[in-house]
Amino acid sequence: MQKRILIVEDESSIRDMVAFALRKADMEPMLAADAREAQLAVATTVPDLILLDWMLPGMSGLELARRLRKEALTAEVPIIMLTARGEEMDRVSGLEAGVDDYVVKPFSTRELIARIKAVLRRSHGDDGSGILELGGLKIDGPAHRVHAGTDTVPIGPTEYRLLHFFMTHAERVYSRAQLLDHVWGGSVYVEERTVDVHIRRLRQTLQPWQLDGLIQTVRGAGYRFSATA
Ligand code: CA
């Protein structure tokens, strides 16, 4: 699945350069020129990572980072701050605001992409092998298999995609619309009810191993995969 990266940057030349590099790296850029545009963008689609310019017109990148951390939807989305030299002294306040990494301008897009990939790997607990273990389940991306202990779990293709998305985005709540967007893809027209059907099937799939409780219903909000309960 393509990673969605939100670029919040007021300089259009940098925005375009980064967007171009992201597409080349098989990632999908989302663009915002200031904090307001960024907040509108995340309200529609939660990105996998946010690139945030420190110096923005209006609300600063730092203040936006603080606010994104407080919102349930974006609390866990990793943030890489783009700073100019001289702003480096402020790293401490950035770390306090929950920023994951820094890239100092001027940067090479090659360096930026490498940092993005490193942060994504860290935040998703993916060691690069495509195998992820969480809450008693193991999902093997390359083999397209799911294991519970030594058993292989028979799972349908949609339930597999749903589970894969949940396990790589654990402990976060997603609305039905967001799940449709991430798991089914934005271009496909599917009713939100469909999500409930596949959630039910996914729970039934996991039930023989008493792991159906990993998929939690959050009233009025959506669904969450949680291994901490
Ligand atoms: Ca700027």
Side-chain angles (χ1 to χ4, degrees):
M1 199 187 302
Q2 274 198 335
K3 299 290 183 198
R4 287 195 176 118
I5 315 292
L6 173 64
I7 312 161
V8 192
E9 165 65 73
D10 55 313
E11 281 170 68
S12 61
S13 58
I14 297 182
R15 220 162 49 222
D16 293 346
M17 175 187 79
V18 173
F20 181 79
L22 287 170
R23 285 198 194 93
K24 248 177 78 183
D26 202 27
M27 292 186 247
E28 188 186 328
M30 293 164 57
L31 305 176
D34 56 28
R36 219 182 70 84
E37 283 187 23
Q39 286 172 313
L40 286 173
V42 299
T44 325
T45 307
V46 178
D48 295 291
L49 184 142
I50 300 170
L51 287 174
L52 188 49
D53 183 29
W54 187 283
M55 291 295 282
L56 289 170
M59 191 193 298
S60 75
L62 185 63
E63 178 56 26
L64 178 60
R66 281 203 191 99
R67 294 197 185 191
L68 291 169
R69 280 289 165 265
K70 279 188 204 143
E71 292 285 328
L73 269 180
T74 50
E76 304 293 329
V77 179
I79 297 173
I80 297 180
M81 209 89 189
L82 305 177
T83 67
R85 278 188 210 290
E87 288 165 5
E88 290 172 74
M89 294 305 288
D90 279 329
R91 279 182 188 226
V92 176
S93 37
L95 290 173
E96 281 166 4
V99 170
D100 295 88
D101 201 359
Y102 287 86
V103 173
V104 178
K105 291 179 187 174
F107 50 82
S108 75
T109 49
R110 181 201 290 255
E111 179 201 353
L112 181 67
I113 298 291
R115 300 283 274 279
I116 289 172
K117 286 183 175 169
V119 169
L120 285 173
R121 268 200 303 275
R122 258 196 338 250
S123 69
H124 291 161
D126 184 343
D127 59 3
S129 65
I131 297 172
L132 199 67
E133 281 190 81
L134 213 55
L137 272 180
K138 182 161 110 181
I139 195 157
D140 183 338
H144 230 70
R145 285 224 166 102
V146 179
H147 304 279
T150 53
D151 298 338
T152 301
V153 178
I155 189 165
T158 305
E159 288 70 38
Y160 175 87
R161 287 211 311 277
L162 195 52
L163 182 64
H164 188 273
F165 178 77
F166 273 136
M167 287 181 73
T168 49
H169 299 77
E171 312 302 336
R172 285 193 243 165
V173 181
Y174 288 91
S175 69
R176 288 167 179 82
Q178 287 170 332
L179 288 171
L180 277 180
D181 201 27
H182 285 287
V183 178
W184 278 261
S187 56
V188 182
Y189 181 76
V190 190
E191 285 181 68
E192 294 197 359
R193 224 177 26 198
T194 307
V195 175
D196 302 328
V197 172
H198 287 281
I199 290 277
R200 197 156 58 232
R201 284 194 200 150
L202 179 55
R203 283 183 177 141
Q204 282 164 1
T205 301
L206 302 175
Q207 207 278 323
W209 292 272
Q210 281 91 49
L211 293 172
D212 45 310
L214 290 169
I215 315 291
Q216 301 176 345
T217 303
V218 182
R219 285 188 84 167
Y223 295 103
R224 164 175 63 208
F225 182 100
S226 178
T228 58

PDB file of all heavy atoms in Angstrom, residues 129-153:
ATOM      1  N   SER A 129      11.268  -6.686   7.376  1.00  0.00           N
ATOM      2  CA  SER A 129      11.051  -8.014   6.820  1.00  0.00           C
ATOM      3  C   SER A 129       9.615  -8.177   6.329  1.00  0.00           C
ATOM      4  O   SER A 129       9.303  -9.119   5.621  1.00  0.00           O
ATOM      5  CB  SER A 129      11.331  -9.072   7.892  1.00  0.00           C
ATOM      6  OG  SER A 129      10.385  -8.935   8.942  1.00  0.00           O
ATOM      7  N   GLY A 130       8.737  -7.249   6.723  1.00  0.00           N
ATOM      8  CA  GLY A 130       7.334  -7.374   6.348  1.00  0.00           C
ATOM      9  C   GLY A 130       6.573  -8.314   7.261  1.00  0.00           C
ATOM     10  O   GLY A 130       5.421  -8.649   7.001  1.00  0.00           O
ATOM     11  N   ILE A 131       7.241  -8.760   8.330  1.00  0.00           N
ATOM     12  CA  ILE A 131       6.582  -9.635   9.306  1.00  0.00           C
ATOM     13  C   ILE A 131       6.355  -8.842  10.589  1.00  0.00           C
ATOM     14  O   ILE A 131       7.261  -8.180  11.090  1.00  0.00           O
ATOM     15  CB  ILE A 131       7.428 -10.894   9.582  1.00  0.00           C
ATOM     16  CG1 ILE A 131       7.548 -11.705   8.290  1.00  0.00           C
ATOM     17  CG2 ILE A 131       6.812 -11.729  10.703  1.00  0.00           C
ATOM     18  CD1 ILE A 131       8.517 -12.864   8.374  1.00  0.00           C
ATOM     19  N   LEU A 132       5.117  -8.904  11.064  1.00  0.00           N
ATOM     20  CA  LEU A 132       4.741  -8.083  12.200  1.00  0.00           C
ATOM     21  C   LEU A 132       4.028  -8.959  13.221  1.00  0.00           C
ATOM     22  O   LEU A 132       3.131  -9.708  12.861  1.00  0.00           O
ATOM     23  CB  LEU A 132       3.802  -6.995  11.676  1.00  0.00           C
ATOM     24  CG  LEU A 132       3.593  -5.766  12.511  1.00  0.00           C
ATOM     25  CD1 LEU A 132       4.887  -4.970  12.563  1.00  0.00           C
ATOM     26  CD2 LEU A 132       2.523  -4.908  11.851  1.00  0.00           C
ATOM     27  N   GLU A 133       4.437  -8.880  14.487  1.00  0.00           N
ATOM     28  CA  GLU A 133       3.778  -9.661  15.535  1.00  0.00           C
ATOM     29  C   GLU A 133       3.163  -8.725  16.554  1.00  0.00           C
ATOM     30  O   GLU A 133       3.824  -7.820  17.053  1.00  0.00           O
ATOM     31  CB  GLU A 133       4.796 -10.569  16.235  1.00  0.00           C
ATOM     32  CG  GLU A 133       5.112 -11.790  15.440  1.00  0.00           C
ATOM     33  CD  GLU A 133       5.936 -12.794  16.252  1.00  0.00           C
ATOM     34  OE1 GLU A 133       5.347 -13.543  17.047  1.00  0.00           O
ATOM     35  OE2 GLU A 133       7.164 -12.788  16.068  1.00  0.00           O
ATOM     36  N   LEU A 134       1.886  -8.959  16.830  1.00  0.00           N
ATOM     37  CA  LEU A 134       1.167  -8.062  17.732  1.00  0.00           C
ATOM     38  C   LEU A 134      -0.024  -8.798  18.332  1.00  0.00           C
ATOM     39  O   LEU A 134      -0.808  -9.406  17.607  1.00  0.00           O
ATOM     40  CB  LEU A 134       0.685  -6.853  16.915  1.00  0.00           C
ATOM     41  CG  LEU A 134       0.610  -5.482  17.566  1.00  0.00           C
ATOM     42  CD1 LEU A 134       1.941  -5.078  18.168  1.00  0.00           C
ATOM     43  CD2 LEU A 134       0.208  -4.458  16.514  1.00  0.00           C
ATOM     44  N   GLY A 135      -0.137  -8.741  19.652  1.00  0.00           N
ATOM     45  CA  GLY A 135      -1.321  -9.283  20.325  1.00  0.00           C
ATOM     46  C   GLY A 135      -1.569 -10.758  20.083  1.00  0.00           C
ATOM     47  O   GLY A 135      -2.718 -11.195  20.079  1.00  0.00           O
ATOM     48  N   GLY A 136      -0.499 -11.535  19.842  1.00  0.00           N
ATOM     49  CA  GLY A 136      -0.671 -12.972  19.636  1.00  0.00           C
ATOM     50  C   GLY A 136      -0.876 -13.349  18.180  1.00  0.00           C
ATOM     51  O   GLY A 136      -1.011 -14.515  17.837  1.00  0.00           O
ATOM     52  N   LEU A 137      -0.911 -12.344  17.312  1.00  0.00           N
ATOM     53  CA  LEU A 137      -1.051 -12.591  15.878  1.00  0.00           C
ATOM     54  C   LEU A 137       0.249 -12.255  15.175  1.00  0.00           C
ATOM     55  O   LEU A 137       0.961 -11.330  15.575  1.00  0.00           O
ATOM     56  CB  LEU A 137      -2.137 -11.689  15.288  1.00  0.00           C
ATOM     57  CG  LEU A 137      -3.577 -12.169  15.299  1.00  0.00           C
ATOM     58  CD1 LEU A 137      -4.437 -11.088  14.668  1.00  0.00           C
ATOM     59  CD2 LEU A 137      -3.758 -13.489  14.573  1.00  0.00           C
ATOM     60  N   LYS A 138       0.534 -13.005  14.129  1.00  0.00           N
ATOM     61  CA  LYS A 138       1.704 -12.684  13.310  1.00  0.00           C
ATOM     62  C   LYS A 138       1.229 -12.563  11.876  1.00  0.00           C
ATOM     63  O   LYS A 138       0.572 -13.466  11.362  1.00  0.00           O
ATOM     64  CB  LYS A 138       2.739 -13.804  13.449  1.00  0.00           C
ATOM     65  CG  LYS A 138       4.015 -13.539  12.681  1.00  0.00           C
ATOM     66  CD  LYS A 138       5.152 -14.386  13.195  1.00  0.00           C
ATOM     67  CE  LYS A 138       5.525 -15.440  12.177  1.00  0.00           C
ATOM     68  NZ  LYS A 138       6.624 -16.306  12.645  1.00  0.00           N
ATOM     69  N   ILE A 139       1.545 -11.447  11.244  1.00  0.00           N
ATOM     70  CA  ILE A 139       1.162 -11.265   9.845  1.00  0.00           C
ATOM     71  C   ILE A 139       2.438 -11.247   9.012  1.00  0.00           C
ATOM     72  O   ILE A 139       3.395 -10.562   9.329  1.00  0.00           O
ATOM     73  CB  ILE A 139       0.283  -9.998   9.659  1.00  0.00           C
ATOM     74  CG1 ILE A 139      -0.406 -10.010   8.303  1.00  0.00           C
ATOM     75  CG2 ILE A 139       1.050  -8.704   9.858  1.00  0.00           C
ATOM     76  CD1 ILE A 139      -1.671  -9.166   8.236  1.00  0.00           C
ATOM     77  N   ASP A 140       2.432 -12.085   8.001  1.00  0.00           N
ATOM     78  CA  ASP A 140       3.606 -12.257   7.146  1.00  0.00           C
ATOM     79  C   ASP A 140       3.274 -11.655   5.786  1.00  0.00           C
ATOM     80  O   ASP A 140       2.642 -12.307   4.946  1.00  0.00           O
ATOM     81  CB  ASP A 140       3.907 -13.767   7.048  1.00  0.00           C
ATOM     82  CG  ASP A 140       5.163 -14.052   6.234  1.00  0.00           C
ATOM     83  OD1 ASP A 140       5.549 -13.188   5.419  1.00  0.00           O
ATOM     84  OD2 ASP A 140       5.733 -15.139   6.400  1.00  0.00           O
ATOM     85  N   GLY A 141       3.671 -10.404   5.581  1.00  0.00           N
ATOM     86  CA  GLY A 141       3.345  -9.669   4.361  1.00  0.00           C
ATOM     87  C   GLY A 141       3.790 -10.367   3.085  1.00  0.00           C
ATOM     88  O   GLY A 141       2.975 -10.611   2.198  1.00  0.00           O
ATOM     89  N   PRO A 142       5.096 -10.716   2.981  1.00  0.00           N
ATOM     90  CA  PRO A 142       5.571 -11.355   1.741  1.00  0.00           C
ATOM     91  C   PRO A 142       4.830 -12.654   1.422  1.00  0.00           C
ATOM     92  O   PRO A 142       4.559 -12.950   0.263  1.00  0.00           O
ATOM     93  CB  PRO A 142       7.054 -11.631   2.030  1.00  0.00           C
ATOM     94  CG  PRO A 142       7.424 -10.634   3.070  1.00  0.00           C
ATOM     95  CD  PRO A 142       6.188 -10.421   3.906  1.00  0.00           C
ATOM     96  N   ALA A 143       4.503 -13.447   2.451  1.00  0.00           N
ATOM     97  CA  ALA A 143       3.815 -14.728   2.219  1.00  0.00           C
ATOM     98  C   ALA A 143       2.298 -14.560   2.193  1.00  0.00           C
ATOM     99  O   ALA A 143       1.569 -15.488   1.856  1.00  0.00           O
ATOM    100  CB  ALA A 143       4.202 -15.733   3.299  1.00  0.00           C
ATOM    101  N   HIS A 144       1.823 -13.351   2.570  1.00  0.00           N
ATOM    102  CA  HIS A 144       0.386 -13.097   2.601  1.00  0.00           C
ATOM    103  C   HIS A 144      -0.330 -14.057   3.556  1.00  0.00           C
ATOM    104  O   HIS A 144      -1.409 -14.574   3.249  1.00  0.00           O
ATOM    105  CB  HIS A 144      -0.196 -13.245   1.187  1.00  0.00           C
ATOM    106  CG  HIS A 144      -1.035 -12.070   0.790  1.00  0.00           C
ATOM    107  ND1 HIS A 144      -0.504 -10.828   0.532  1.00  0.00           N
ATOM    108  CD2 HIS A 144      -2.374 -11.945   0.612  1.00  0.00           C
ATOM    109  CE1 HIS A 144      -1.479 -10.000   0.209  1.00  0.00           C
ATOM    110  NE2 HIS A 144      -2.626 -10.649   0.242  1.00  0.00           N
ATOM    111  N   ARG A 145       0.276 -14.355   4.690  1.00  0.00           N
ATOM    112  CA  ARG A 145      -0.296 -15.310   5.641  1.00  0.00           C
ATOM    113  C   ARG A 145      -0.436 -14.692   7.017  1.00  0.00           C
ATOM    114  O   ARG A 145       0.321 -13.794   7.388  1.00  0.00           O
ATOM    115  CB  ARG A 145       0.635 -16.524   5.749  1.00  0.00           C
ATOM    116  CG  ARG A 145       0.546 -17.444   4.557  1.00  0.00           C
ATOM    117  CD  ARG A 145       0.501 -18.887   5.052  1.00  0.00           C
ATOM    118  NE  ARG A 145       0.088 -19.771   3.985  1.00  0.00           N
ATOM    119  CZ  ARG A 145       0.933 -20.542   3.285  1.00  0.00           C
ATOM    120  NH1 ARG A 145       2.217 -20.544   3.589  1.00  0.00           N
ATOM    121  NH2 ARG A 145       0.489 -21.317   2.324  1.00  0.00           N
ATOM    122  N   VAL A 146      -1.379 -15.238   7.776  1.00  0.00           N
ATOM    123  CA  VAL A 146      -1.575 -14.822   9.159  1.00  0.00           C
ATOM    124  C   VAL A 146      -1.432 -16.051  10.055  1.00  0.00           C
ATOM    125  O   VAL A 146      -1.957 -17.121   9.734  1.00  0.00           O
ATOM    126  CB  VAL A 146      -2.980 -14.190   9.342  1.00  0.00           C
ATOM    127  CG1 VAL A 146      -3.198 -13.786  10.791  1.00  0.00           C
ATOM    128  CG2 VAL A 146      -3.148 -12.974   8.423  1.00  0.00           C
ATOM    129  N   HIS A 147      -0.690 -15.916  11.139  1.00  0.00           N
ATOM    130  CA  HIS A 147      -0.486 -17.023  12.067  1.00  0.00           C
ATOM    131  C   HIS A 147      -0.950 -16.643  13.469  1.00  0.00           C
ATOM    132  O   HIS A 147      -0.743 -15.527  13.918  1.00  0.00           O
ATOM    133  CB  HIS A 147       0.996 -17.410  12.140  1.00  0.00           C
ATOM    134  CG  HIS A 147       1.582 -17.751  10.812  1.00  0.00           C
ATOM    135  ND1 HIS A 147       1.409 -18.993  10.234  1.00  0.00           N
ATOM    136  CD2 HIS A 147       2.296 -17.005   9.937  1.00  0.00           C
ATOM    137  CE1 HIS A 147       2.028 -18.990   9.047  1.00  0.00           C
ATOM    138  NE2 HIS A 147       2.564 -17.802   8.845  1.00  0.00           N
ATOM    139  N   ALA A 148      -1.563 -17.603  14.139  1.00  0.00           N
ATOM    140  CA  ALA A 148      -1.881 -17.473  15.561  1.00  0.00           C
ATOM    141  C   ALA A 148      -1.142 -18.626  16.235  1.00  0.00           C
ATOM    142  O   ALA A 148      -1.511 -19.784  16.035  1.00  0.00           O
ATOM    143  CB  ALA A 148      -3.386 -17.570  15.795  1.00  0.00           C
ATOM    144  N   GLY A 149      -0.080 -18.320  16.962  1.00  0.00           N
ATOM    145  CA  GLY A 149       0.774 -19.375  17.501  1.00  0.00           C
ATOM    146  C   GLY A 149       1.371 -20.159  16.346  1.00  0.00           C
ATOM    147  O   GLY A 149       1.920 -19.574  15.419  1.00  0.00           O
ATOM    148  N   THR A 150       1.184 -21.486  16.361  1.00  0.00           N
ATOM    149  CA  THR A 150       1.745 -22.297  15.279  1.00  0.00           C
ATOM    150  C   THR A 150       0.724 -22.539  14.165  1.00  0.00           C
ATOM    151  O   THR A 150       1.032 -23.165  13.160  1.00  0.00           O
ATOM    152  CB  THR A 150       2.220 -23.667  15.819  1.00  0.00           C
ATOM    153  OG1 THR A 150       1.123 -24.254  16.529  1.00  0.00           O
ATOM    154  CG2 THR A 150       3.398 -23.515  16.751  1.00  0.00           C
ATOM    155  N   ASP A 151      -0.508 -22.037  14.376  1.00  0.00           N
ATOM    156  CA  ASP A 151      -1.565 -22.255  13.376  1.00  0.00           C
ATOM    157  C   ASP A 151      -1.527 -21.191  12.284  1.00  0.00           C
ATOM    158  O   ASP A 151      -1.198 -20.044  12.540  1.00  0.00           O
ATOM    159  CB  ASP A 151      -2.953 -22.188  14.031  1.00  0.00           C
ATOM    160  CG  ASP A 151      -3.140 -23.260  15.087  1.00  0.00           C
ATOM    161  OD1 ASP A 151      -2.421 -24.277  15.025  1.00  0.00           O
ATOM    162  OD2 ASP A 151      -3.979 -23.064  15.984  1.00  0.00           O
ATOM    163  N   THR A 152      -1.911 -21.599  11.081  1.00  0.00           N
ATOM    164  CA  THR A 152      -2.149 -20.631  10.017  1.00  0.00           C
ATOM    165  C   THR A 152      -3.638 -20.300  10.042  1.00  0.00           C
ATOM    166  O   THR A 152      -4.476 -21.188  10.100  1.00  0.00           O
ATOM    167  CB  THR A 152      -1.763 -21.216   8.649  1.00  0.00           C
ATOM    168  OG1 THR A 152      -0.381 -21.559   8.701  1.00  0.00           O
ATOM    169  CG2 THR A 152      -1.986 -20.219   7.530  1.00  0.00           C
ATOM    170  N   VAL A 153      -3.948 -19.022  10.042  1.00  0.00           N
ATOM    171  CA  VAL A 153      -5.345 -18.584  10.113  1.00  0.00           C
ATOM    172  C   VAL A 153      -5.894 -18.462   8.692  1.00  0.00           C
ATOM    173  O   VAL A 153      -5.350 -17.706   7.884  1.00  0.00           O
ATOM    174  CB  VAL A 153      -5.434 -17.212  10.830  1.00  0.00           C
ATOM    175  CG1 VAL A 153      -6.865 -16.708  10.867  1.00  0.00           C
ATOM    176  CG2 VAL A 153      -4.845 -17.291  12.238  1.00  0.00           C
TER     177      VAL A 153
END
